[in-house]
Amino acid sequence: MAELTQQPPGKRLCCRHGYSGTFRGAPRGDGSVAGGSGARSPETLLDIAARKVAEKWPFQRVEERFERIPEPVQRRIVYWSFPRSEREICMYSSFSGCGDEANPDSDDEPRLPFPRGVALLESGCVDNALQVGFHLSGTVKEPATSSEPEMVCNVSISFDRCKITAVTCSCGNKDIFYCAHVVALSLYRVRRPDQVKLRLPISETLFQMNRDQLQKFVQYLITVHHTEVLPTAQKLADEILSQNSEINQVHGAPDPTAGASIDDENCWHLDEEQVQEQVKLFLSQGGYHGSGKQLNLLFSKVREMLKMRDSNGARMLTLITEQFMGDPRLALWRQQGTTMTDKYRQLWDELGALWMCVVLNPHCKHQQKAFWLRQLRRWNSVDVCPLEDGNHGSDLTNLTNALPQGPAGNPNSHSKPHRTVFTRAIEACDLHWQDSHLQRIITEDHYTNYCHQDKHHNSLFDGRGWPLWHEHVPTACARVDALRSHGYPKESLRLAIAVVNTLRRQQSKQLDFFRSHKKELLHKGVTSVTNLEGWVGHPLDPIGTLFSTLLEAGHGREEGAALSKQDFSASGSFLEEGETFVSLAVETALIGLGQQRGMPDGLYAQEKVCRNEEHLLAKLQEVELNDILVKVFRKQASRLLDAGPYSGLGELLHRESVPMHTFAKYLFTSLLPHDVELAYRIALRAMRLPVLESTVPSSDLSRPQQIMSVVSNRYPRWFTLSHIESQQCELASTMLTAAKGDARKLETVLESIQKNIHSSSHIFKLAQDAFKIATLMDSLPDLTLLKVSLELGLQVMRMTLSTLNWRRREMVRWLVTCATEVGVFALDSIMQNWFTLFTPIEATSVVASTVMSNSTIVRLHLDCHQQENLSSSARTLALQCAMKDPQNCALSALTLCEKDHIAFETAYQIVLDAATTGMNYTQLFTIARYMEHRGYPMRAYKLATLALTHLNLSYNQDTHPAINDVLWACALSHSLGKNELAAVIPLVVKSVKCATVLSDILRRCTLTTPGIVALHNRRNSGKIMALDKAPLRQLLDATIGAYINTTHSRLTHISPRHYSEFIEFLSKARETFLMAHDGHIQFTQFIDNLKQIYKGKKKLMMLVRERFG
């Protein structure tokens, strides 16, 4: 703590006779006097009375009550007024709780003030400890470090009624907590009271002095501290000597060592300014630098104060709330329409929960609650105050009204009241603790009524005569939390047991109701959610509160066993035979987690449901199962299965109910070693996800359009659907793993997966998981599980056949691998039914190719007959694919059919049939090249001519990708002979208008004689073809014409920077012109025409004349 901002108010001291007895020794903590004998004497009546007075009465009241107070009595009151417990000192000097007083700093970090103060005390750094009345002072030496010299700090502490009310330290440290030097001096006084000099309040000492002594006292005081107090001393002297001064109008004088006045508030010192500054700093950091953790620690400090029944708990919470409400980000987020971060939102939730605990203080005064209510309403009315469910209003009824547990109509979603994080605390201000039944529940150990008949819905006792508490469940649990938070553990436990017994009775009533109306309800179906308000994910966390309360009662025994009924008989244990608090806690958690409840609105509320469920399950997993808990699991599992619309695992499930996948996975793994059938019943029932079900039911899984997720007209939006589906997948995977080796259960699990999982990616994951489990290296493959994996893979293929999926190719390859592991019959089956599983290109390029590969043959250990059968199926598939999609599958079909002449001829015929209409030039050229490569030049020639009929190259496409194919086609025709070349050239002339390409073809044809390579015993004539005769004459004319047309086209939009390029183009044109018999004349005429037509382009024409004359 830093310097004290305000000294405690002074009080008027009455003039009276004092006692001048000498104090012989400092009193000890046990009432004995230092220097006495070693034997401990009984505590005196004076000490007992003084201790009680010191705890409860302000010293002014003692003075006013008694005319004369003997000095020994004053000394004992002053002595006992200092705090005697280290726990509060620890609380105000460290974040974490202090635990046992014998070793309070065992869990604190060394850098916190409390452990540092303990270290300073134990190092002998405290000196000059002096207690004058209700004021303690001393010096604490801070040892030198490598960076800091030794420092001596002057510490002063004021206290009243066993509470430190003000601290001052010269170290100048600014913090929420007391500094280490204050801690050291305080602990010195607590642990070594006999070493502290004790004096009465200074006013009592002054009263004993005569005038000369008083003058000497004042003058010595001024002399010692003249530089500090002389101006003040002179000012006071002037005012005292002035008869009309204000100081002379007041009887007596203030004394900072005389204790508190009657009107002073009795509370521990809390530096409000530092609390506000620290919270403001943490909020400004926006979650960085561990600020979120620091704020949570402050909230924990508030809870610690409440548990100690320290009034500063509510005071500190008020300071924190003011800073939260003043956070500038609230207005910014509201203006931008964005939501706050998840961690920040959780801090607001904790803030609201803490205020709920504060206002539910069972011993809170009416005036204090009225003050809190005004504060809460003021914060609640601010526009930027966060809403309870994050983004949306809540449609829940008032907190004090219990929600109906039976069937009810859906609430009107259009009229939602404005519910902020403070709304529940405001509503809780209307709650009271005066109900006689409630009072007897929380205060009496054996409150029973064994003569009571449990006939009414709201009976005060159950059939066993044990008390029940009928109240809105989250509200009742909020009372339990408030009792725990304010340091009433036994009372909170008694109420928790009554609430849990009420829940169990309600569950039994619901079970009986469903059993008696089962046929009617099953016929009617579920039209509404039976519980509008879920207990898991609720802002008040009712199930978590009950679970923690009961678990703490059963904590700390050997080997994790809970307190038995006999162990807790003093506090009234309403437990069945063999039941423990731990088993009751577990049963409560199972009831809450299994409740059928509607999915709330809004992203944050839905995420909170998932988060709270996972948090509660994590706590459950820490509890070691024993025979008692297994019995509880069996009982609750059976009840949840049979509870109809009241259970999330019942037969009747509303479409918008929160799924049970995560909970069921925990139940499944817990029950599996003890009751296999029940475990599978739970898991299979929980696989449902009706929000994704199509409105048109169908069991035909072979039709992909009926397997796809149909998510239409859902309300509210399920923002966490992706997470929910992944949990559903995890549950299915867990069942598949457990069912390995059991064909019947694997078949059941497979049917459940196919029926309930609607995501292809999740089914694919399950298929992969099953494949991995079935093919573990340390065991033989599980053929049944492999078949399940294959079946799931086939479903994925059907689901994704007509939809886009970026993992589709991976899925196809994996399916072929899986089918290979299953065996040759599986491969044959997927090829026989390929059209329901694959696209033609997938079937040929991946499936058939993999099946016919050598690695597959080796992997399956196939004989020649099996190889031939499999290859025959692959060729049949390839031909079918080529018929359906010749553009993409023809080449693959030809490749796959190479070793079978009939199949190959069939594939070739399919290509020819599709060439005129269904295939483009690129595909035909590719197949033509393949034919040439395989040794079929005439077929290649045929396909090349068909490709040329589909081609069209304009004059400026001199970089077209098909140019190489055209050159190759012409070279192929030239190599076959004059007739083939003569047939191709007209096609080239018709398809190609690019001059440079035509000239290139022309030059190639004039380099060698046609038919260089002897084909089919035909021989060439050995003469080079003449350019003035067909077919080259036609090609030459077309080339010259192309150059002329291209030239005119270029000159239309030519720019000066392209002049040199154009001149080079004309040079190439001249080379082609000169190949003709009268080419020179034609070129000259062509140039002359250019000069005449484009004479306006003077610079260009000048360049033309320079080059070509």
Side-chain angles (χ1 to χ4, degrees):
M1 277 286 177
E3 295 181 2
L4 187 63
T5 57
Q6 182 180 356
Q7 291 290 344
K11 68 184 186 72
R12 182 177 61 81
L13 296 178
C14 298
C15 297
R16 59 190 182 278
H17 296 289
Y19 291 83
S20 57
T22 306
F23 184 64
R24 293 181 295 273
R28 297 182 184 274
D30 58 2
S32 61
V33 178
S37 61
R40 177 171 178 170
S41 59
E43 193 170 18
T44 65
L45 185 60
L46 172 61
D47 272 318
I48 296 173
R51 188 171 68 247
K52 292 299 180 182
V53 169
E55 290 175 0
K56 303 297 183 183
W57 284 26
F59 196 63
Q60 183 182 6
R61 176 174 292 177
V62 178
E63 291 178 326
E64 292 178 353
R65 174 68 176 81
F66 303 101
E67 182 179 353
R68 299 176 60 188
I69 306 175
E71 183 177 328
V73 175
Q74 291 190 56
R75 287 182 177 275
R76 301 312 291 160
I77 293 175
V78 168
Y79 170 79
W80 287 111
S81 291
F82 195 84
R84 298 184 289 276
S85 169
E86 296 183 8
R87 188 175 180 183
E88 287 86 354
I89 299 170
C90 175
M91 183 171 70
Y92 280 92
S93 55
S94 63
F95 269 122
S96 55
C98 298
D100 189 1
E101 288 187 17
N103 188 20
D105 58 324
S106 58
D107 295 326
D108 275 317
E109 297 181 15
R111 66 175 179 272
L112 291 174
F114 188 80
R116 285 181 53 220
V118 172
L120 290 173
L121 172 64
E122 294 175 348
S123 302
C125 296
V126 180
D127 198 8
N128 302 321
L130 171 65
Q131 179 179 342
V132 179
F134 297 86
H135 186 273
L136 177 68
S137 61
T139 59
V140 180
K141 182 174 64 177
E142 184 80 51
T145 63
S146 57
S147 58
E148 297 289 340
E150 180 181 280
M151 177 176 63
V152 177
C153 300
N154 297 312
V155 181
S156 64
I157 301 173
S158 297
F159 52 90
D160 172 46
R161 284 167 277 180
C162 300
K163 295 177 182 176
I164 293 175
T165 57
V167 298
T168 304
C169 181
S170 62
C171 69
N173 184 43
K174 298 280 186 181
D175 198 358
I176 295 176
F177 299 129
Y178 300 166
C179 68
H181 315 110
V182 170
V183 172
L185 181 60
S186 302
L187 295 182
Y188 186 89
R189 170 62 177 80
V190 173
R191 296 183 182 184
R192 305 171 188 174
D194 54 329
Q195 298 179 22
V196 178
K197 298 176 184 177
L198 188 143
R199 300 289 185 270
L200 292 178
I202 193 67
S203 55
E204 293 292 333
T205 304
L206 295 176
F207 183 76
Q208 299 171 22
M209 297 182 183
N210 57 33
R211 185 187 182 286
D212 292 338
Q213 290 173 320
L214 284 172
Q215 183 170 359
K216 184 178 291 187
F217 171 78
V218 172
Q219 288 183 218
Y220 268 100
L221 180 63
I222 294 173
T223 302
V224 174
H225 301 286
H226 67 279
T227 59
E228 300 166 9
V229 303
L230 185 57
T232 305
Q234 185 61 55
K235 179 182 177 183
L236 290 173
D238 293 342
E239 291 184 6
I240 290 173
L241 292 174
S242 175
Q243 293 182 355
N244 298 325
S245 64
E246 183 179 352
I247 199 170
N248 285 323
Q249 306 303 317
V250 180
H251 183 62
D255 180 4
T257 69
S261 64
I262 296 175
D263 298 329
D264 288 344
E265 185 180 0
N266 180 228
C267 61
W268 285 78
H269 174 66
L270 178 70
D271 193 330
E272 295 187 2
E273 182 181 352
Q274 282 304 308
V275 172
Q276 292 173 319
E277 289 297 322
Q278 290 288 337
V279 175
K280 188 175 182 179
L281 174 64
F282 293 150
L283 289 174
S284 67
Q285 292 173 349
Y288 302 102
H289 313 294
S291 58
K293 180 181 177 182
Q294 297 296 318
L295 288 169
N296 277 315
L297 288 172
L298 282 180
F299 288 146
S300 299
K301 182 58 61 181
V302 171
R303 285 196 177 273
E304 188 181 354
M305 290 177 175
L306 294 179
K307 200 165 189 176
M308 299 285 288
R309 303 175 198 173
D310 188 335
S311 60
N312 278 337
R315 185 176 160 206
M316 186 171 179
L317 185 60
T318 301
L319 298 171
I320 293 173
T321 307
E322 289 287 2
Q323 293 305 310
F324 266 74
M325 291 300 298
D327 190 345
R329 291 179 296 172
L330 291 176
L332 182 63
W333 286 330
R334 181 180 178 85
Q335 181 182 2
Q336 295 176 343
T338 56
T339 58
M340 62 181 69
T341 62
D342 191 57
K343 288 184 178 179
Y344 188 57
R345 173 70 232 194
Q346 290 177 41
L347 292 173
W348 275 102
D349 282 351
E350 179 65 9
L351 200 64
L354 282 170
W355 274 116
M356 189 80 179
C357 288
V358 168
V359 300
L360 278 177
N361 182 352
H363 294 99
C364 171
K365 295 179 181 178
H366 177 73
Q367 296 86 348
Q368 186 66 65
K369 184 178 285 190
F371 172 73
W372 291 332
L373 180 59
R374 288 193 299 271
Q375 279 192 148
L376 291 167
R377 283 177 174 166
R378 176 169 59 85
W379 294 326
N380 189 70
S381 63
V382 179
D383 289 341
V384 296
C385 184
L387 299 182
E388 183 179 66
D389 60 355
N391 301 312
H392 301 76
S394 174
D395 53 10
L396 302 179
T397 58
N398 186 282
L399 177 70
T400 57
N401 299 328
L403 291 173
Q405 298 298 324
N410 288 328
N412 182 5
S413 60
H414 299 289
S415 58
K416 296 183 178 180
H418 182 80
R419 295 184 64 87
T420 72
V421 292
F422 301 117
T423 301
R424 292 184 183 272
I426 293 172
E427 293 171 352
C429 289
D430 296 331
L431 299 175
H432 60 81
W433 296 83
Q434 279 70 48
D435 184 273
S436 59
H437 182 59
L438 175 61
Q439 283 296 317
R440 295 190 68 181
I441 287 175
I442 63 178
T443 58
E444 295 186 17
D445 291 331
H446 304 286
Y447 178 42
T448 57
N449 186 348
Y450 295 115
C451 300
H452 179 77
Q453 297 294 321
D454 183 17
K455 295 181 179 179
H456 304 289
H457 176 71
N458 291 325
S459 299
L460 298 181
F461 299 89
D462 61 14
R464 300 165 296 186
W466 295 354
L468 303 174
W469 179 241
H470 295 281
E471 191 176 26
H472 178 220
V473 173
T475 307
C477 295
R479 291 184 186 272
V480 175
D481 190 30
L483 288 169
R484 284 178 65 212
S485 299
H486 289 282
Y488 301 100
K490 288 186 178 180
E491 290 82 354
S492 68
L493 181 60
R494 293 182 188 122
L495 182 56
I497 293 173
V499 173
V500 172
N501 284 331
T502 308
L503 291 180
R504 295 201 291 190
R505 176 180 175 272
Q506 175 185 294
Q507 187 186 47
S508 298
K509 295 283 186 184
Q510 291 172 347
L511 191 60
D512 294 340
F513 175 81
F514 177 66
R515 285 172 177 169
S516 60
H517 299 81
K518 186 173 182 178
K519 290 185 178 180
E520 175 188 348
L521 290 171
L522 287 175
H523 176 71
K524 183 181 179 182
V526 179
T527 57
S528 64
V529 180
T530 54
N531 296 295
L532 299 179
E533 192 173 35
W535 298 332
V536 175
H538 191 279
L540 300 179
D541 191 20
I543 300 300
T545 297
L546 293 176
F547 180 81
S548 299
T549 303
L550 294 166
L551 199 64
E552 284 177 7
H555 186 67
R557 296 296 178 181
E558 293 181 359
E559 299 178 358
L563 285 165
S564 66
K565 190 168 16 176
Q566 291 76 18
D567 293 329
F568 202 70
S569 59
S571 299
S573 168
F574 297 102
L575 300 176
E576 295 178 352
E577 189 65 33
E579 197 172 46
T580 67
F581 289 118
V582 171
S583 68
L584 193 60
V586 170
E587 185 170 7
T588 304
L590 298 182
I591 292 173
L593 288 165
Q595 176 203 30
Q596 183 172 163
R597 54 200 183 272
M599 180 67 77
D601 294 359
L603 170 62
Y604 179 75
Q606 293 176 16
E607 287 181 338
K608 190 172 183 179
V609 168
C610 299
R611 184 168 55 247
N612 281 26
E613 181 184 37
E614 291 169 358
H615 180 67
L616 191 53
L617 288 173
K619 287 185 175 180
L620 278 170
Q621 286 171 343
E622 294 175 0
V623 180
E624 186 177 350
L625 288 185
N626 53 30
D627 292 341
I628 296 175
L629 293 182
V630 170
K631 185 178 178 181
V632 171
F633 270 83
R634 281 178 167 160
K635 168 187 157 186
Q636 277 303 319
S638 299
R639 288 194 166 200
L640 291 173
L641 287 171
D642 298 338
Y646 303 100
S647 164
L649 295 169
E651 291 180 67
L652 292 171
L653 187 68
H654 188 264
R655 189 167 182 260
E656 300 292 347
S657 293
V658 174
M660 297 281 114
H661 307 129
T662 310
F663 175 45
K665 180 185 173 185
Y666 168 72
L667 283 178
F668 178 79
T669 53
S670 301
L671 283 169
L672 192 63
H674 310 284
D675 194 330
V676 176
E677 293 302 323
L678 183 58
Y680 275 97
R681 282 184 64 202
I682 285 285
L684 291 169
R685 179 72 63 82
M687 280 291 291
R688 300 170 298 182
L689 190 54
V691 75
L692 290 183
E693 294 295 335
S694 170
T695 55
V696 182
S698 174
S699 58
D700 183 8
L701 297 178
S702 64
R703 300 177 64 184
Q705 65 270 21
Q706 293 182 347
I707 305 171
M708 293 167 55
S709 298
V710 181
V711 189
S712 60
N713 300 323
R714 291 205 317 273
Y715 182 81
R717 285 185 63 191
W718 283 34
F719 297 96
T720 56
L721 187 58
S722 175
H723 173 76
I724 290 169
E725 286 188 287
S726 67
Q727 293 300 310
Q728 183 190 35
C729 178
E730 287 294 323
L731 174 60
S733 179
T734 303
M735 284 196 289
L736 283 175
T737 305
K740 182 179 180 180
D742 191 326
R744 183 178 63 84
K745 285 190 170 54
L746 281 174
E747 183 180 356
T748 306
V749 175
L750 174 62
E751 291 175 0
S752 179
I753 292 171
Q754 292 175 323
K755 178 183 177 182
N756 296 298
I757 297 185
H758 303 272
S759 166
S760 59
S761 59
H762 287 125
I763 296 179
F764 182 51
K765 180 183 181 302
L766 288 172
Q768 290 178 306
D769 290 346
F771 182 79
K772 291 176 183 176
I773 298 166
T775 56
L776 291 174
M777 296 300 293
D778 57 349
S779 61
L780 294 173
D782 187 316
L783 188 58
T784 307
L785 193 52
L786 274 176
K787 290 180 179 178
V788 169
S789 176
L790 177 64
E791 194 61 38
L792 291 173
L794 295 175
Q795 183 174 347
V796 172
M797 291 297 102
R798 289 189 286 265
M799 292 174 71
T800 58
L801 179 59
S802 57
T803 59
L804 294 176
N805 192 304
W806 63 275
R807 299 184 66 189
R808 172 74 184 182
R809 190 167 184 83
E810 175 193 355
M811 293 172 175
V812 173
R813 291 187 180 279
W814 177 88
L815 182 72
V816 177
T817 302
C818 181
T820 304
E821 288 294 327
V822 174
V824 65
F825 68 91
L827 288 174
D828 189 63
S829 175
I830 64 173
M831 287 192 292
Q832 294 291 338
N833 301 286
W834 70 269
F835 49 88
T836 64
L837 304 172
F838 313 107
T839 62
I841 190 170
E842 289 171 346
T844 54
S845 63
V846 179
V847 180
S849 300
T850 306
V851 168
M852 296 185 68
S853 65
N854 290 330
S855 59
T856 302
I857 295 172
V858 173
R859 179 73 183 85
L860 294 174
H861 307 292
L862 301 180
D863 56 31
C864 294
H865 179 68
Q866 290 174 320
Q867 288 182 38
E868 181 53 37
N869 288 340
L870 204 58
S871 298
S872 177
S873 296
R875 287 192 292 268
T876 303
L877 177 149
L879 292 174
Q880 291 173 347
C881 293
M883 287 286 290
K884 191 171 183 179
D885 185 9
Q887 298 94 329
N888 296 311
C889 300
L891 181 58
S892 298
L894 287 167
T895 305
L896 292 167
C897 297
E898 285 177 353
K899 296 183 180 179
D900 187 287
H901 178 70
I902 297 176
F904 187 80
E905 291 298 324
T906 304
Y908 175 65
Q909 190 58 47
I910 291 171
V911 174
L912 292 179
D913 293 342
T916 54
T917 56
M919 302 181 75
N920 58 41
Y921 62 85
T922 303
Q923 295 161 343
L924 289 172
F925 274 131
T926 302
I927 298 173
R929 286 175 178 266
Y930 163 79
M931 283 296 184
E932 185 195 32
H933 178 70
R934 300 304 301 173
Y936 299 102
M938 291 306 297
R939 292 185 177 185
Y941 167 74
K942 174 66 174 176
L943 293 172
T945 58
L946 291 172
L948 286 171
T949 61
H950 292 75
L951 182 64
N952 184 23
L953 260 68
S954 62
Y955 74 94
N956 59 350
Q957 290 183 298
D958 51 359
T959 58
H960 194 280
I963 291 175
N964 287 331
D965 290 323
V966 174
L967 295 175
W968 169 83
C970 292
L972 175 65
S973 304
H974 189 269
S975 66
L976 291 176
K978 182 178 179 180
N979 294 335
E980 287 77 6
L981 183 60
V984 162
I985 285 178
L987 296 176
V988 172
V989 170
K990 183 179 179 181
S991 301
V992 180
K993 298 297 185 290
C994 182
T996 54
V997 176
L998 290 173
S999 62
D1000 193 5
I1001 296 171
L1002 183 63
R1003 276 189 294 274
R1004 292 177 184 232
C1005 290
T1006 57
L1007 292 178
T1008 58
T1009 58
I1012 290 297
V1013 181
L1015 300 171
H1016 302 290
N1017 297 321
R1018 293 164 53 186
R1019 298 189 178 275
N1020 64 79
S1021 60
K1023 296 180 180 179
I1024 295 177
M1025 298 178 67
L1027 290 172
D1028 57 347
K1029 296 181 180 179
L1032 293 188
R1033 179 64 189 182
Q1034 183 183 3
L1035 180 60
L1036 178 59
D1037 291 343
T1039 304
I1040 292 173
Y1043 269 116
I1044 293 172
N1045 293 333
T1046 303
T1047 299
H1048 287 295
S1049 297
R1050 287 194 172 192
L1051 286 172
T1052 304
H1053 302 290
I1054 196 169
S1055 62
R1057 60 179 179 168
H1058 293 134
Y1059 285 175
S1060 59
E1061 180 185 342
F1062 178 73
I1063 297 299
E1064 293 302 321
F1065 174 78
L1066 286 180
S1067 299
K1068 292 181 180 179
R1070 182 173 61 179
E1071 293 176 4
T1072 302
F1073 272 83
L1074 293 177
M1075 295 176 73
H1077 179 69
D1078 55 348
H1080 179 74
I1081 298 173
Q1082 289 186 46
F1083 185 74
T1084 302
Q1085 292 176 348
F1086 173 54
I1087 294 297
D1088 291 341
N1089 288 336
L1090 291 181
K1091 293 175 184 177
Q1092 183 64 29
I1093 296 172
Y1094 301 101
K1095 59 185 177 180
K1097 300 181 183 295
K1098 295 180 181 179
K1099 184 176 180 179
L1100 178 60
M1101 291 304 106
M1102 183 184 69
L1103 294 174
V1104 170
R1105 280 193 295 269
E1106 288 178 358
R1107 176 68 69 90
F1108 306 107

